[in-house]
Amino acid sequence: LQRQEVLLNKILPYVNPEYDPKYQLLLVDRALTLDKAKGDRESARRTLAEATRFGTLPNAYLLTRLEWEFEAGNYTRAHEQATELVFRNFPNRPQALSTALHTALEAEMYDRAQQAAEAYLMLIPGDTVMQVIETRLRQGDRPEELRNFFRKK
């Protein structure tokens, strides 16, 4: 960690502040090290957020950021990441929509949850669980309970 910090500080004067994917990947690597080696998830989250200043995060790291925000209870931020994953179809369209639905439910963004459920059903119309979720969202039938469909998995 100390060597990473020294390297990041040493090259900082040469970094393009608007777009620098190499520096971004060094920050991402530092964030992952902070999380895994030190168990410092909060510093890792901040470092990963800083990495976004230098370009678009690769899909896998965007998913990592979503997971970290979700685990921290930052459901609105997690939903923002999930929405980006939907645009990128990562890891695939149905899974991205399901994640967007789950994060929207946790953030109590029921209109967005309904949109995700509808889009999901356009892809997989026979999914009976998703049909129940979409119907209950459309009818406003205790939407706060719907997150339990995901928590049980």
Side-chain angles (χ1 to χ4, degrees):
L1 276 174
Q2 215 169 18
R3 288 193 300 194
Q4 281 180 330
E5 189 67 32
V6 168
L7 175 64
L8 288 168
N9 288 332
K10 196 176 263 189
I11 65 173
L12 188 58
Y14 309 101
V15 169
N16 179 342
E18 294 174 16
Y19 179 75
D20 198 320
K22 290 179 183 175
Y23 186 72
Q24 178 190 53
L25 287 177
L26 290 172
L27 286 173
V28 167
D29 186 52
R30 177 156 176 75
L32 297 175
T33 301
L34 284 166
D35 182 53
K36 291 194 182 0
K38 279 189 76 179
D40 187 354
R41 176 65 55 86
E42 186 56 36
S43 293
R45 281 180 49 244
R46 283 194 307 271
T47 303
L48 199 56
E50 180 184 352
T52 63
R53 291 185 18 225
F54 299 96
T56 303
L57 280 179
N59 292 339
Y61 301 123
L62 187 62
L63 184 58
T64 297
R65 187 172 181 203
L66 180 152
E67 291 168 355
W68 290 354
E69 294 293 358
F70 191 89
E71 290 170 7
N74 299 324
Y75 302 122
T76 301
R77 283 193 220 143
H79 182 67
E80 291 168 5
Q81 307 309 311
T83 300
E84 181 63 29
L85 290 174
V86 170
F87 287 125
R88 296 180 187 193
N89 292 317
F90 185 81
N92 58 58
R93 186 84 174 160
Q95 194 168 348
L97 287 166
S98 180
T99 301
L101 170 61
H102 185 189
T103 56
L105 288 171
E106 293 291 346
E108 298 178 2
M109 302 167 78
Y110 301 124
D111 57 331
R112 290 194 181 183
Q114 183 180 349
Q115 292 169 359
E118 290 170 354
Y120 184 97
L121 286 171
M122 291 175 112
L123 297 173
I124 307 174
D127 187 321
T128 55
V129 171
M130 193 62 71
Q131 289 171 355
V132 169
I133 292 171
E134 191 279 328
T135 300
R136 286 186 53 187
L137 283 165
R138 189 170 15 88
Q139 295 174 349
D141 182 9
R142 301 168 307 203
E144 65 282 353
E145 295 176 3
L146 294 173
R147 65 187 88 174
N148 294 330
F149 280 100
F150 294 92
R151 289 181 178 172
K152 292 178 183 177
K153 289 184 178 181

